[in-house]
Amino acid sequence: SPTANTAAGVATVTLTSSTTAGTATVTASTADGGTDSTAVTFEAGAVATVTVTANPSTLEADGVSTSTVQATAKDANNNPVEGETVTFGVVSGILSSNSAVTNSSGVATVTYTSPSSVPAGGTDTVTATSNNGMLGTKNITLTAVPVSMVTVTAGSSTIVADGSDSTIVRATVKDTKNQSVPDGTTVSFTTTAGTLSSATATTVNGVA
């Protein structure tokens, strides 16, 4: 063990930290049995990396489905950084908070809520940024809510069989959550007699 001689009753040594955050207990003792100890804490350094996770990472774009988003902040020696304020951002969905503070494991947590329609590309990107500008990102995959019900109605149930009389036909489309499907959903039409003005139409407010 290292030793030091006293000068004016004081013996001095220098403690150099390890690269692992934690607590060092330094004990001084003399040959005749005198002893005392003190604790020195090795704290994490500045944030060097921010890693973002989302659970689950795939959601239906229904405006209510949620995912737990966690950002883990660590220093250059892979020690978790506690007490760091992490700022979150998102493109299409909604976050429960724009910022959160890391816990003793270096983790800051927010809740992501999906948008009500699938964005371009089918994904949303969550960003997490530490106070010193370290950035982490995570893509969340967003899927359309499956169609559950299609209701077809005709403006008139009877038209003259003269090759020119006509009626408007509408299809109302609901998803599995009984919500109108997003505008622009394509609906295909067929008929056993007569002719249709178009084989397809797109929804507006759930109606094609």
Side-chain angles (χ1 to χ4, degrees), residues 158-182:
T158 302
I159 57 177
V160 178
D162 60 2
S164 62
D165 200 10
S166 63
T167 186
I168 297 295
V169 178
R170 293 183 175 88
T172 301
V173 187
K174 300 282 189 179
D175 63 25
T176 55
K177 300 181 185 295
N178 201 37
Q179 298 174 327
S180 296
V181 296

Side-chain angles (χ1 to χ4, degrees), residues 24-196:
T25 301
V26 181
T27 302
S29 57
T30 61
D32 59 3
T35 185
D36 192 23
S37 298
T38 190
V40 178
T41 300
F42 300 160
E43 65 179 12
V47 176
T49 62
V50 176
T51 304
V52 185
T53 62
N55 184 29
S57 58
T58 298
L59 295 175
E60 289 183 344
D62 56 10
V64 296
S65 293
T66 61
S67 175
T68 300
V69 175
Q70 294 186 317
T72 302
K74 292 187 176 183
D75 68 10
N77 292 305
N78 208 37
N79 295 305
V81 180
E82 182 179 4
E84 180 78 7
T85 298
V86 177
T87 302
F88 291 88
V90 71
V91 178
S92 301
I94 297 173
L95 297 172
S96 58
S97 177
N98 290 329
S99 65
V101 178
T102 58
N103 59 19
S104 60
S105 298
V107 178
T109 303
V110 295
T111 300
Y112 169 91
T113 301
S114 68
S116 57
S117 61
V118 178
T123 62
D124 198 359
T125 301
V126 180
T127 61
T129 309
S130 64
N131 283 331
N132 64 346
M134 296 298 102
L135 173 68
T137 64
K138 177 64 178 178
N139 285 338
I140 295 177
T141 300
L142 296 166
T143 62
V145 181
V147 172
S148 173
M149 179 175 63
V150 179
T151 303
V152 181
T153 58
S156 176
S157 60
T158 302
I159 57 177
V160 178
D162 60 2
S164 62
D165 200 10
S166 63
T167 186
I168 297 295
V169 178
R170 293 183 175 88
T172 301
V173 187
K174 300 282 189 179
D175 63 25
T176 55
K177 300 181 185 295
N178 201 37
Q179 298 174 327
S180 296
V181 296
D183 288 356
T185 299
T186 300
V187 178
S188 298
F189 292 86
T190 62
T191 182
T192 59
T195 57
L196 296 168

